[in-house]
Amino acid sequence: PKHYGRIIRADDEVIAIREFRDCTPDEQLILEINSGVYCFDIAYLLFALQKLTTNNDQHEYYLTDTLEILRSAGQNIKALKTNNPEEIAGINTIEELNEAEKVMYVKI
């Protein structure tokens, strides 16, 4: 999972997504990661965006915090799992880009 955010669950329910830099040591051991792909009802998203703060390690607005905000407002949060990590691979470095290109060329 490297430095991806972690899906935090309680009783199999998604309760939050924690960015790696803000994870506790125990949360860093979680293997379920955030792919960064979301689907929102626009009204709920707009509600949650108004409540975002920069109270985190990087002092940034985290879109992932909207899930915790919505859950605390009584909304259900779901996370879909994939058995194919290639489907959700992120590209942040030239090495990761090269790896993604190899995967794409094999699929074509």
Side-chain angles (χ1 to χ4, degrees):
K2 297 184 185 177
H3 291 98
Y4 286 98
R6 301 306 201 267
I7 307 292
I8 311 298
R9 292 181 182 266
D11 299 322
D12 205 39
E13 297 267 335
V14 175
I15 59 171
I17 296 177
R18 191 91 61 239
E19 295 299 324
F20 182 81
R21 287 177 57 163
D22 297 303
C23 283
T24 66
D26 284 342
E27 290 171 340
Q28 289 179 1
L29 298 175
I30 296 170
L31 298 179
E32 186 177 9
I33 61 160
N34 173 31
S35 68
V37 178
Y38 309 97
C39 182
F40 287 95
D41 177 301
I42 189 65
Y44 293 132
L45 176 59
L46 293 173
F47 165 81
L49 288 175
Q50 294 176 40
K51 299 189 177 299
L52 287 179
T53 70
T54 58
N55 187 22
N56 55 64
D57 185 59
Q58 299 183 82
H59 304 288
E60 296 177 348
Y61 292 103
Y62 290 163
L63 183 61
T64 53
D65 288 348
T66 59
L67 303 179
E68 206 165 355
I69 291 167
L70 290 172
R71 186 173 191 283
S72 68
Q75 297 303 310
N76 292 322
I77 308 301
K78 302 292 182 192
L80 301 176
K81 296 181 182 182
T82 179
N83 292 323
N84 183 354
E86 293 174 349
E87 292 178 345
I88 61 166
I91 301 172
N92 295 303
T93 66
I94 192 69
E95 293 82 10
E96 291 170 342
L97 176 60
N98 290 336
E99 195 60 37
E101 286 177 339
K102 288 178 196 172
V103 170
M104 290 178 59
Y105 287 128
V106 169
K107 303 279 184 195
I108 295 177

